[in-house]
Amino acid sequence: MPKLKTKRGAAKRFAVSKSGNIKRKKAYASHILTKKSPKRKRGLRKADIVSKEDKKAIRRLLPYA
């Protein structure tokens, strides 16, 4: 069986943690920040974990992660 190619777009967006969870950046943190409260912007800085339902699909995009 040939080697599988990693989907590069997914590789740039997701990282696999030691425990096997997939980390992602939160949405809505890149622009139009003036109307968002400091508390909300602070929360957007933190990485989030991909939901259980989406994990299988992302694993398929990152075969060697």
Side-chain angles (χ1 to χ4, degrees):
M1 178 125 180
K3 287 194 251 180
L4 299 170
K5 282 194 174 182
T6 298
K7 298 295 180 282
R8 298 310 299 161
K12 291 168 191 175
R13 286 172 173 85
F14 302 106
V16 181
S17 66
K18 281 187 178 181
S19 62
N21 289 322
I22 299 172
K23 294 187 290 184
R24 66 171 179 83
K25 193 176 182 289
K26 288 185 180 169
Y28 308 109
S30 58
H31 63 108
I32 314 175
L33 298 170
T34 51
K35 64 173 80 170
K36 293 169 190 160
S37 71
K39 182 180 177 182
R40 183 174 167 193
K41 288 189 274 192
R42 253 194 327 275
L44 292 172
R45 263 186 240 147
K46 295 180 176 136
D48 207 5
I49 303 286
V50 168
S51 68
K52 193 177 68 174
E53 294 80 12
D54 296 329
K55 198 173 174 181
K56 188 179 175 187
I58 293 164
R59 278 277 186 203
R60 205 172 289 136
L61 300 173
L62 306 170
Y64 302 107

